[in-house]
Amino acid sequence: MISFSPQSAIGRLLLLRTIAILIQLLLVLASAFWFDKSIELLPVLTVIAIESCFQLVSVFAYRKTSEAAPSGMMLQLLADIMFMTILLSLSGGASNAFVSMLIIPIVIAAVTLPSQFVIIISLCSLVAYGYLFVTMGGHHMHHMDMELHFKGMWANFVLSVFIVVMVVMAMAKQLKVKEQSLAKVREKQLKNEQLIALGSAAAQATHQLATPLGNINLLLEELKEDYPEHPALVDMGKAITTCKEQLDLFRAQTEKLKSSDSFGVQSTLAILEELETLMALQFPEQSLIMDEVVDTFVSDDPMLIPALLNVLANAAQANIKTNAKEIVLQSSIEKGTWVLSIIDHGPGFDPKKMERLGHTIVKSESGLGMALVLSHASIERLKGTIRLENQCKYGAKTTITLPIKENEL
């Protein structure tokens, strides 16, 4: 089984070499038997036979590789230059009409290889042409002075190599940039589709929970009439009230998103105070320690608080694993952005998953991956960033940056 396809770089190169070997064989036989050209048939056929064996070895070597490494591609092209140079030296050298074929490996290298490998291939082709020009015998210039003509051909080859390297490399680089941009757009579109699907499922779940939650509340009121002093009913009432508040908050945020595409500004101090209140409700055993606090203004987006709360909730869950109870918040201003650092005392992020956290859905028992995906999407929509890193001594550090807005009031 052969893994590489004709569409891959190594596949195209091996296919072109196979075609080139067949064409070389046909041209040599035609020159020897039909056009009565004085060609040393045995040495030329020996070189073609060695090239054919090299081709078979190359196909065998790359049979289980979908794509060759740049160094491997360079060695393949250098081998092509070597075989081509030997064949040309046995059939007229620089006077051979096919000497310009030495530029083909340069074109292939310019499209498929990094710039440093392209320079090596170009220099080798120039050296090969120079060798053919220097070793060309004087009998090729009889009846008229052809030296100036061959020197012109050499100069034309050098100029062609320079143009090919500069133009083709620039075009290949531009195509790679466009491909990377399209890949980012496709990735972002897929991510947005996943978030939209998740948001729709969350909205549907909220709508479906409202009715049974109301029924539970009615049943609770009936139980309170029969058992007014039962302690379990008091705790149940607090839990139901919290659920209703969360549903009302979700509805309010949804309506705010529907009503306007642009929002005002809010104070960072107010954001930190609200986060402290929400954390006290959800994780009363955790305490927020604010080392540095600055007051500035950022976008009053309804999804900002939930995004920041997700990160704090992850920090609290990490602390629970190590029985820690402190989360450090650092607020500062750097280069026109508000920087909020959240430091926990947990086990830290898994280094194998850190690159994917916040960008793709990562399986986790605590749901860490999904929360970070939602937070990253919300912060990215506000033209901010999230950076994850592990602390040297303890825990993890999540750094969030948001652009500062001017207060219009």
Side-chain angles (χ1 to χ4, degrees), residues 51-284:
E51 185 180 7
S52 301
C53 293
F54 177 78
Q55 171 73 347
L56 293 175
V57 171
S58 299
V59 173
F60 180 80
Y62 288 104
R63 70 190 188 282
K64 295 183 179 180
T65 305
S66 59
E67 190 58 86
S71 58
M73 283 289 295
M74 183 188 70
L75 292 177
Q76 291 288 319
L77 292 172
L78 289 176
D80 289 332
I81 293 174
M82 181 186 68
F83 287 123
M84 202 178 304
T85 304
I86 296 174
L87 288 174
L88 289 171
S89 65
L90 294 174
S91 56
S95 64
N96 193 307
F98 293 98
V99 70
S100 59
M101 299 294 287
L102 284 170
I103 204 170
I104 292 180
I106 301 175
V107 176
I108 297 174
V111 174
T112 59
L113 297 180
S115 57
Q116 62 269 25
F117 295 111
V118 178
I119 293 174
I120 294 174
I121 297 295
S122 303
L123 291 176
C124 290
S125 293
L126 291 173
V127 170
Y129 196 110
Y131 167 78
L132 294 174
F133 180 78
V134 172
T135 56
M136 184 175 57
H139 62 278
H140 293 287
M141 304 180 187
H142 63 284
H143 297 306
M144 60 182 300
D145 187 10
M146 295 293 292
E147 183 179 359
L148 184 62
H149 172 72
F150 290 126
K151 286 183 178 179
M153 289 177 59
W154 161 246
N156 178 65
F157 183 80
V158 173
L159 181 62
S160 300
V161 169
F162 177 78
I163 293 174
V164 166
V165 170
M166 297 303 294
V167 175
V168 177
M169 280 182 59
M171 294 177 64
K173 185 177 180 180
Q174 186 177 7
L175 287 175
K176 288 181 180 179
V177 171
K178 287 184 178 179
E179 289 178 357
Q180 291 174 355
S181 300
L182 289 174
K184 289 181 179 179
V185 170
R186 287 194 295 266
E187 182 181 354
K188 188 175 182 179
Q189 183 179 2
L190 179 61
K191 183 179 178 180
N192 290 336
E193 290 176 355
Q194 291 177 341
L195 293 175
I196 290 173
L198 182 62
S200 300
Q204 184 178 2
T206 303
H207 179 72
Q208 292 176 348
L209 285 173
T211 301
L213 188 61
N215 294 335
I216 293 174
N217 191 38
L218 291 176
L219 293 174
L220 179 63
E221 291 178 357
E222 293 180 1
L223 286 174
K224 283 183 178 180
E225 293 178 358
D226 296 334
Y227 307 96
E229 298 180 358
H230 199 289
L233 297 181
V234 177
D235 295 336
M236 190 183 300
K238 292 180 180 179
I240 293 175
T241 302
T242 302
C243 292
K244 290 177 64 178
E245 290 176 353
Q246 292 295 330
L247 289 177
D248 293 338
L249 179 62
F250 182 82
R251 291 195 188 97
Q253 290 175 348
T254 305
E255 292 300 324
K256 190 174 181 181
L257 285 171
K258 290 180 180 179
S259 62
S260 177
D261 295 329
S262 60
F263 306 97
V265 297
Q266 58 181 331
S267 169
T268 55
L269 287 180
I271 292 174
L272 294 176
E273 290 176 1
E274 185 172 355
L275 289 175
E276 189 174 10
T277 302
L278 293 173
M279 285 295 293
L281 292 174
Q282 296 188 18
F283 299 94

Side-chain angles (χ1 to χ4, degrees), residues 195 198 202 246 249-250 253 271 274-276 278-279 282-283 288 302-319 327 329 340 342 344 349 358 366-379 386 388 398 400:
L195 293 175
L198 182 62
Q246 292 295 330
L249 179 62
F250 182 82
Q253 290 175 348
I271 292 174
E274 185 172 355
L275 289 175
E276 189 174 10
L278 293 173
M279 285 295 293
Q282 296 188 18
F283 299 94
L288 299 183
M303 298 307 297
L304 177 58
I305 295 296
L308 298 178
L309 186 60
N310 280 338
V311 178
L312 284 172
N314 290 334
Q317 292 171 1
N319 276 354
I327 300 175
L329 298 183
L340 177 64
I342 302 173
D344 61 59
F349 296 113
S366 59
L368 173 66
M370 192 65 252
L372 274 180
V373 168
L374 294 173
S375 296
H376 188 275
S378 299
I379 298 298
I386 295 183
L388 307 177
T398 304
I400 301 168

